[in-house]
């Protein structure tokens, strides 16, 4: 048994359900808490292999290792590292805490309730109205243990959005020098991209809309480069690939008319941010890349994580309503239709709306620049979380 070192630390528990979103969000939050608030953080993760895709220097075989000031602990069942309660315990996205952890909370509650860490469930991000009413509510568990529901969100009454404090300054400095993007493409092994070409990053789920857009781009007047990591987007483009997805290699280029598909290596989160800052349009998905595309201050399409009974479309419309609030009506309408068509896999509609919305249209670009400042709403998620803990 290895002991975790101190008692004012925070523990974050994360199970990798599928994809990279759960680990992406918790890893980003853990880094920010450690870096900006000097909080010792233990991040317990059940699947280090998946994690290593977005943190290539991680060794999936190690039970414990440290990066960016965060202790990354392999969450095995039973735990091989002893859990020592700290100040805060975050269970991400309603993952079930290990029985030994819950037992320890109960034990501490009986000894002295003041010893029990503040226990929070970090929820998924949604722009829906009801989030304000549920954010911060406590729920009573066994033996009078209290668990709070922490809801990220876009308004002042929610838990806020994850965003590092110096992110916009770094982004502006990056975007001010056009040589940065060309240098980045080079480093990523993506060749043949000229500064005047249109560059689109694609990190989506499967959708027929993607193959329709590629069809359109092949015939475009200007050169278009689509940068795509090996993964789910490519399942919709099999007819354009020279071999099985498994046999594609990062840096490989596939030409079809004026469209070049580039197979993108996966990078760490900082590299992914830089990529989003460097493209003209970003097609993103889920929760974390969706936010990062907003912080990139570039036009984007959001492929939302599909849910039963098309509930994701309700969430999509809630966000669209916020995002379009002060956009000129024609641009708002076209951007809305483009996002809906992409999510519904409507091939002909997605082509029409892409064409109608010249993606570098000035008002949309200006809006993309202003939106991050408005959306942060005075405080980012980590700041609000630290304040929430102080008050609880
Ligand atoms: O991977 P996702 O589809 O995750 C989803 C959603 O979070 C969804 O809400 C959740 O229910 C489901 O997982 C289980 O998309 P998301 O949220 O954008 O997460 C991707 C993460 O991967 C994000 O942190 C960015 C990161 N990433 C890199 O760090 N480097 C890369 O090269 C790429 C492509 C992504």
């Amino acid at each position: 048994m290895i002991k975790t070192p101190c008692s004012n630390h925070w523990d974050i528990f994360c199970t990798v359900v599928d994809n990279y979103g759960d680990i992406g969000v918790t890893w980003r939050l853990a880094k920010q808490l450690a870096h900006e608030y000097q909080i010792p953080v233990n991040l317990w993760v059940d699947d280090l292999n998946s994690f290593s895709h977005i943190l290539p220097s991680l060794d999936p075989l190690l039970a414990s290792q440290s990066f960016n000031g965060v202790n990354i602990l392999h969450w095995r069942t039973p735990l091989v590292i002893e859990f020592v309660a700290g100040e805060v315990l975050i269970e991400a996205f309603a993952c079930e805490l290990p029985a030994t952890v819950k037992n320890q909370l109960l034990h501490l509650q009986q000894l002295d309730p003041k010893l029990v860490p503040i226990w929070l469930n970090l929820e998924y991000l949604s722009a829906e109205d009801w989030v304000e009413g549920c954010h911060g509510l406590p729920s009573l568990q066994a033996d009078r243990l209290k668990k709070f529901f922490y809801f990220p969100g876009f308004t002042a009454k929610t838990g806020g959005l994850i965003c590092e404090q110096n992110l916009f300054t770094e982004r502006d400095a990056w975007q001010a020098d056009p040589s940065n993007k060309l240098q980045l493409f080079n480093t990523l092994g993506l060749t043949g991209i000229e500064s005047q070409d249109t560059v689109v990053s694609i990190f989506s789920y499967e959708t027929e809309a993607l193959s329709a857009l590629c069809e359109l781009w092949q015939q475009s007047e200007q050169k278009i480069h689509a940068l795509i990591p090996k993964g789910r987007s490519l399942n919709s483009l099999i007819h354009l690939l020279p071999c099985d997805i498994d046999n594609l290699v990062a840096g490989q280029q596939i030409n079809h008319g004026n469209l070049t598909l580039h197979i993108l290596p996966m990078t760490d989160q900082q590299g992914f941010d830089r990529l989003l800052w460097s493209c003209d349009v970003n097609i993103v998905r889920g929760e974390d890349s969706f936010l990062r595309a907003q912080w990139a201050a570039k036009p984007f399409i959001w492929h939302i994580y599909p849910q039963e009974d098309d509930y994701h479309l309700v969430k999509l419309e809630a966000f669209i309503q916020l995002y379009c609030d002060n956009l000129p009506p024609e641009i708002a309408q076209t951007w809305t239709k483009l996002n809906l068509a992409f999510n519904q896999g409507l091939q002909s509609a997605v082509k029409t709306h892409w064409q109608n919305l010249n993606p570098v249209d000035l008002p949309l670009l200006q809006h993309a620049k202003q939106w991050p400042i408005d959306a942060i709403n005075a405080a980012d998620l980590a700041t609000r979380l630290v304040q929430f803990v102080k008050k609880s």
Side-chain angles (χ1 to χ4, degrees):
M1 286 276 192
I2 308 163
K3 286 219 171 200
T4 48
C6 51
S7 61
N8 68 335
H9 66 269
W10 291 26
D11 288 283
I12 303 178
F13 280 84
C14 172
T15 50
V16 176
V17 180
D18 59 359
N19 306 308
Y20 307 110
D22 297 328
I23 185 57
V25 169
T26 49
W27 169 228
R28 196 180 287 293
L29 176 62
K31 280 187 288 186
Q32 197 186 351
L33 290 169
H35 181 241
E36 291 175 16
Y37 293 92
Q38 290 73 51
I39 295 171
V41 183
N42 291 328
L43 176 59
W44 301 78
V45 185
D46 68 339
D47 176 358
L48 296 181
N49 265 321
S50 296
F51 192 0
S52 68
H53 284 107
I54 61 166
L55 179 58
S57 34
L58 188 81
D59 181 347
L61 298 176
L62 290 181
S64 157
Q65 55 204 302
S66 185
F67 289 95
N68 300 65
V70 176
N71 245 346
I72 296 170
L73 307 175
H74 193 183
W75 170 4
R76 291 196 207 142
T77 310
L79 287 186
V80 289
I81 299 173
E82 188 185 0
F83 170 79
V84 178
E87 195 187 347
V88 176
L89 172 59
I90 298 178
E91 114 193 352
F93 313 117
C95 66
E96 186 67 22
L97 289 179
T100 44
V101 172
K102 279 200 201 152
N103 288 339
Q104 210 185 112
L105 298 186
L106 289 170
H107 177 66
L108 291 172
Q109 173 76 10
Q110 281 153 9
L111 275 181
D112 177 357
K114 281 196 220 99
L115 296 175
V116 181
I118 292 165
W119 180 12
L120 304 154
N121 183 40
L122 176 67
E123 301 283 345
Y124 285 113
L125 170 64
S126 173
E128 291 163 287
D129 288 345
W130 58 263
V131 167
E132 284 191 347
C134 295
H135 169 60
L137 290 182
S139 120
L140 222 47
Q141 310 286 306
D143 212 2
R144 307 197 59 75
L145 282 172
K146 222 193 297 175
K147 175 160 80 172
F148 294 97
F149 292 102
Y150 196 93
F151 279 89
F154 291 86
T155 64
K157 290 187 188 153
T158 66
L161 302 166
I162 296 183
C163 182
E164 300 79 8
Q165 282 176 10
N166 55 358
L167 187 76
F168 299 163
T169 314
E170 282 178 21
R171 179 205 62 201
D172 289 345
W174 178 272
Q175 290 177 342
D177 180 354
S179 71
N180 280 329
K181 68 173 186 185
L182 295 176
Q183 223 167 341
L184 175 76
F185 297 150
N186 247 336
T187 317
L188 293 172
L190 315 173
T191 52
I193 304 178
E194 306 282 340
S195 53
Q196 71 279 6
D197 298 347
T198 301
V199 185
V200 184
S201 80
I202 300 177
F203 180 55
S204 69
Y205 307 113
E206 294 79 2
T207 168
E208 293 299 303
L210 204 51
S211 77
L213 283 180
C214 284
E215 205 176 284
L216 181 73
W217 295 338
Q218 289 177 41
Q219 290 139 26
S220 89
E221 279 166 26
Q222 275 194 334
K223 285 205 162 174
I224 300 202
H225 300 267
L227 317 185
I228 317 179
K230 267 167 90 165
R232 296 184 59 178
S233 310
L234 288 173
N235 292 335
S236 302
L237 301 177
I238 287 176
H239 59 290
L240 296 178
L241 305 177
C243 57
D244 287 349
I245 296 177
D246 282 347
N247 294 325
L248 292 168
V249 289
Q252 192 167 341
Q253 292 183 21
I254 304 134
N255 290 309
H256 291 279
N258 252 350
L259 168 68
T260 306
L261 302 175
H262 296 257
I263 306 303
L264 192 65
M266 286 219 27
T267 62
D268 62 11
Q269 287 184 321
Q270 192 189 35
F272 186 61
D273 270 339
R274 290 180 173 164
L275 176 82
L276 299 177
W277 299 346
S278 303
C279 294
D280 298 295
V281 182
N282 295 301
I283 300 182
V284 287
R285 71 188 199 190
E287 176 162 330
D288 192 54
S289 59
F290 159 59
L291 260 191
R292 306 315 282 189
Q294 291 168 60
W295 300 162
K298 292 292 182 84
F300 67 95
I301 295 177
W302 179 26
H303 199 186
I304 188 169
Y305 189 74
Q307 285 183 286
E308 263 176 46
D309 300 325
D310 282 346
Y311 185 67
H312 57 285
L313 294 180
V314 176
K315 288 183 166 178
L316 175 64
E317 301 220 29
F319 173 72
I320 286 177
Q321 211 176 340
L322 282 185
Y323 191 74
C324 291
D325 191 32
N326 52 8
L327 258 177
E330 290 145 57
I331 306 235
Q333 249 181 39
T334 311
W335 187 80
T336 300
K337 285 180 182 166
L338 176 65
N339 274 272
L340 290 175
F342 192 91
N343 278 278
Q344 292 168 315
L346 305 177
Q347 295 197 296
S348 146
V350 83
K351 284 188 197 172
T352 308
H353 302 309
W354 176 276
Q355 282 171 307
N356 288 348
L357 184 86
N358 180 351
V360 286
D361 192 84
L362 199 56
L364 186 61
L365 265 179
Q366 281 165 346
H367 182 65
K369 271 211 162 302
Q370 182 57 36
W371 169 256
I373 300 159
D374 298 343
I376 287 292
N377 241 309
D380 65 275
L381 186 141
T383 307
R384 294 191 206 190
L385 183 57
V386 169
Q387 284 164 0
F388 183 87
V389 164
K390 272 194 195 140
K391 279 195 250 149
S392 301

